[in-house]
Amino acid sequence: MTVRYRRMAERGSVAGMAPRLVLGVVLSGAILSGGVPVIAPLAQAHADAPETSAAAHAPVTPVPGVSVPVAAPEAVAATAPAPAAQSAGATAGMSGGVSAGVSAPAVAARPVPVPVPAPGPAVPTGPLPVGGPAAPELGEEARAVRLQAAQIGLRAFTAPDFHPGKVRHIVLMRFLPTITDAQRAEVVRRFMALGQVSRRDNGQQVIADIETGVQMSGEGVDQGFGQGFVVTFNSEGDRNYYVGKPVVSDPAYFDPAHEAFKKFAAPYIIGVLVFDYALPAHQAQRTRRAAVMRPGMTQQQG
């Protein structure tokens, strides 16, 4: 600061700057007498600031009798406050604070560890494996029937003369708990109507006989199935044509009436069990003889 006032005095403003010069000398004397170095941060900040005027590059002329102690570069580097601390110290020093000029040693910032969450369980993606909820595992007989259809072709697989002989097709239905009596009756009525409306393109009837009944067993093993149907075919080919999907996917080779019934009944049904079996040849013959002996009688519906 002594140097600065010296320069201003040389420019002709000695009279105006005399009080400030006296203040600079007093502060310099306080530094020499061991007082608190209030001016040191200001001098350091001024030295670090970029000089833009031509007067800043003028040679420094010391004032006789006044000396300003200069700290070693190592000490300045060790005790120099951060830019924010320098600004705060300079403001406090100008307001007359004593402790504002004391520079705290710089403390290196330590990185704060950020906790990383543990990885959760892997979520499987892609299609469900065979045997999952969306793709139940096929039994041995179901795989054999589908393989047979692929090997001989759908035309032969659904032909009326394919594996002739009586075939029983048992269907058990578990209805929606909220189904009304009228809705249940309509489902049963449409199923029974398939005995007449299920026909091939040439008009040939597909179903030989059909019956139904309500569950009445007291054994407690019905698993909630409330309605049963027994459908009889004259050949496996007729059964294959009637069943259609998922065994036969080509609309040219499955019954459109049965497919329409499945779409209608699906909202009312929550479970279906299907069981097919073929009657032995001699049992089928006895069944046919009984039908010939009683031509006017119809099979009782349970």
Side-chain angles (χ1 to χ4, degrees):
M1 291 187 67
T2 307
V3 175
R4 182 178 180 183
Y5 295 140
R6 174 72 176 184
R7 295 174 186 168
M8 297 177 67
E10 292 178 355
R11 294 178 183 177
S13 59
V14 177
M17 298 302 298
R20 299 184 183 181
L21 179 60
V22 173
L23 177 60
V25 173
V26 172
L27 294 177
S28 301
I31 296 175
L32 295 177
S33 61
V36 180
V38 179
I39 308 304
L42 295 176
Q44 183 64 31
H46 182 73
D48 295 339
E51 296 290 341
T52 55
S53 62
H57 300 281
V60 179
T61 305
V63 179
V66 179
S67 61
V68 179
V70 180
E74 295 79 1
V76 173
T79 61
Q86 291 180 3
S87 177
T91 304
M94 294 298 293
S95 61
V98 176
S99 60
V102 180
S103 301
V107 179
R110 297 181 181 179
V112 179
V114 178
V116 179
V123 179
T125 58
L128 293 174
V130 176
E137 184 178 358
L138 296 177
E140 181 179 354
E141 291 300 328
R143 290 196 299 268
V145 169
R146 298 188 186 196
L147 178 61
Q148 188 180 50
Q151 289 176 343
I152 67 174
L154 295 181
R155 180 183 296 275
F157 183 72
T158 59
D161 57 350
F162 178 70
H163 291 181
K166 293 295 180 181
V167 176
R168 296 279 195 257
H169 178 74
I170 301 175
V171 180
L172 302 181
M173 292 184 182
R174 183 166 60 235
F175 293 104
L176 195 70
T178 57
I179 192 173
T180 65
D181 293 341
Q183 291 170 339
R184 177 167 176 163
E186 182 64 14
V187 172
V188 175
R189 187 194 69 79
R190 293 198 182 201
F191 195 104
M192 295 300 296
L194 292 176
Q196 298 298 324
V197 300
S198 292
R199 298 180 180 273
R200 296 180 180 271
D201 294 339
N202 58 4
Q204 183 180 353
Q205 193 170 340
V206 178
I207 297 175
D209 189 40
I210 184 172
E211 62 184 48
T212 187
V214 179
Q215 200 289 122
M216 55 174 294
S217 173
E219 298 179 67
V221 293
D222 54 89
Q223 300 184 16
F225 293 99
Q227 191 80 25
F229 300 87
V230 179
V231 186
T232 302
F233 301 98
N234 289 326
S235 67
E236 290 187 24
D238 285 342
R239 188 275 315 266
N240 298 338
Y241 180 82
Y242 165 82
V243 170
K245 296 179 180 180
V247 181
V248 180
S249 57
D250 191 341
Y253 299 104
F254 65 69
D255 181 16
H258 183 216
E259 187 66 22
F261 167 79
K262 289 189 288 186
K263 293 180 179 180
F264 163 78
Y268 307 108
I269 299 174
I270 59 175
V272 178
L273 189 150
V274 178
F275 188 93
D276 293 357
Y277 65 92
L279 294 177
H282 63 279
Q283 184 176 353
Q285 292 175 0
R286 286 200 304 267
T287 303
R288 285 196 295 269
R289 284 198 302 268
V292 171
M293 292 174 61
R294 296 178 295 175
M297 299 182 63
T298 58
Q299 193 168 6
Q300 182 180 1
Q301 297 182 1

